[in-house]
Amino acid sequence: MQKIPHSTVQRLVLCYSLAQKALTRGDMYLRSQDIAALLQVDETQIRKDMAIVGIGGVQKRGYPVHRVVQRLEELFAVRMEKLAALIGVGNLGRALLNYPGFAKYGVRIVCAFDRDPEKVGREVNRVFVYPIEALGEVIPRFGVQMAILAIPPHSAQEVADALVALGVRGIWNFSSALLRVPREVAVRNECLESGLLLLLHKMWGENHVSFPKE
Amino acid sequence: MQKIPHSTVQRLVLCYSLAQKALTRGDMYLRSQDIAALLQVDETQIRKDMAIVGIGGVQKRGYPVHRVVQRLEELFAVRMEKLAALIGVGNLGRALLNYPGFAKYGVRIVCAFDRDPEKVGREVNRVFVYPIEALGEVIPRFGVQMAILAIPPHSAQEVADALVALGVRGIWNFSSALLRVPREVAVRNECLESGLLLLLHKMWGENHVSFPKE
DNA sequence: TAGATTGTTAATCGATTAACAATC
DNA sequence: TAGATTGTTAATCGATTAACAATC
């Protein structure tokens, strides 16, 4: 199959969530028109996206919800169980541990790591916290495939290198560090600082006068 | 000034973080080549981005770090004090309250809201938690300009409508709901579910066979 | 049948990259 | 001066939108 454009994947993520909602509502079909309105894009775009991943529609009805859900679950590999490690059990890390979204998408956090001796040796949400030095022993033991990085940026690259060396295939990076990893390792940057700055730009960016604090 | 393309703004966010780092290191200049390598884009792109926002470089040296920082602080309005409300004091909300990034960019959370009577009336990190019903009274009293939405998706639109009616100009949306707001209100979606699915796609997407759990 | 929808090809638009001029 | 860099214009590439055919 041809490579799926990244912009298409982004829209399909949203389609997936819409399709799940439609499924619980009991709707049989989703029309490109309605999806497009919610995503605020052109409806042709949605039809093209569907075609790209091989989801066919039915004239006068729309796209069969169950087929959309099925195909997109395949595309996002949500029915496959994925074992994950959480690195950094700070405020954000703990919030992620309690996050209901993971289980829903087949991600199971099986171990956590922290540098702080206060946190090491305890359980958070039934997940044991290991010292960061134990990475090399614990990651292979559990067969961890992906890591969630919720640590300060200064040590992020070092930890990422270790994770990659241990065979981790994907990193969900909440630090502001720009990680360098081999091509075959997937990284998703979820830097909140960046998100905040993008919002601030939308709010006050461009042609405005910025008043200094003092 | 012409409209700044969104892709340019995204790169400039990263440039800002690099420039700050360079500033603390004491570097005088940043070369487009080096920035490009870290961002993994073409160096011409960086020069174009700089030109678009009016940052001029110096031949044989690069871009003066202090000017980059200064101009981008203006672009992201970070020196301006922005009063924010946190809606939803769950795990994620509490993590955000303790988040050091906010103060750094001039965002001050002045009040928090929750539906849970258990949480209402208490202080979290020196911020008072109001009942969600008090939104209409409290938001104008504090002069809140932006809101951080960390609530479940089903009530997100309703709360967003209320916030917009109260004059809030920007919403940092951590829920998975796709909010509909008037054009003049800025929204940044920070839906973690979406981020996770994008990572899963990169890891196992495309031409793979997905093994069901059972 | 008429109308509403999907599906596809062509046109447009915008973003990235290449080529090279300018200059310290 | 030669070389390294910025700056800019032109070429390419990819994504979006428009037009319209196909069909239930």
Side-chain angles (χ1 to χ4, degrees), chain A residues 31-32 44 47 56-57 59-60 62-63:
Chain A
R31 300 182 312 154
S32 59
T44 311
R47 292 203 285 274
Q59 270 105 342
K60 289 202 67 171
Y63 294 87

Side-chain angles (χ1 to χ4, degrees), chain A residues 18-69:
Chain A
L18 293 179
Q20 279 186 308
K21 224 179 294 174
L23 199 65
T24 61
R25 263 202 316 269
D27 294 355
M28 297 294 282
Y29 296 94
L30 262 175
R31 300 182 312 154
S32 59
Q33 216 178 104
D34 297 334
I35 300 174
L38 288 161
L39 268 60
Q40 304 190 60
V41 298
D42 192 280
E43 53 176 299
T44 311
Q45 190 74 83
I46 300 300
R47 292 203 285 274
K48 210 164 222 178
D49 291 340
M50 293 295 185
I52 286 172
V53 294
I55 299 173
V58 180
Q59 270 105 342
K60 289 202 67 171
R61 304 228 191 289
Y63 294 87
V65 169
H66 76 277
R67 281 186 55 199
V68 174
V69 169

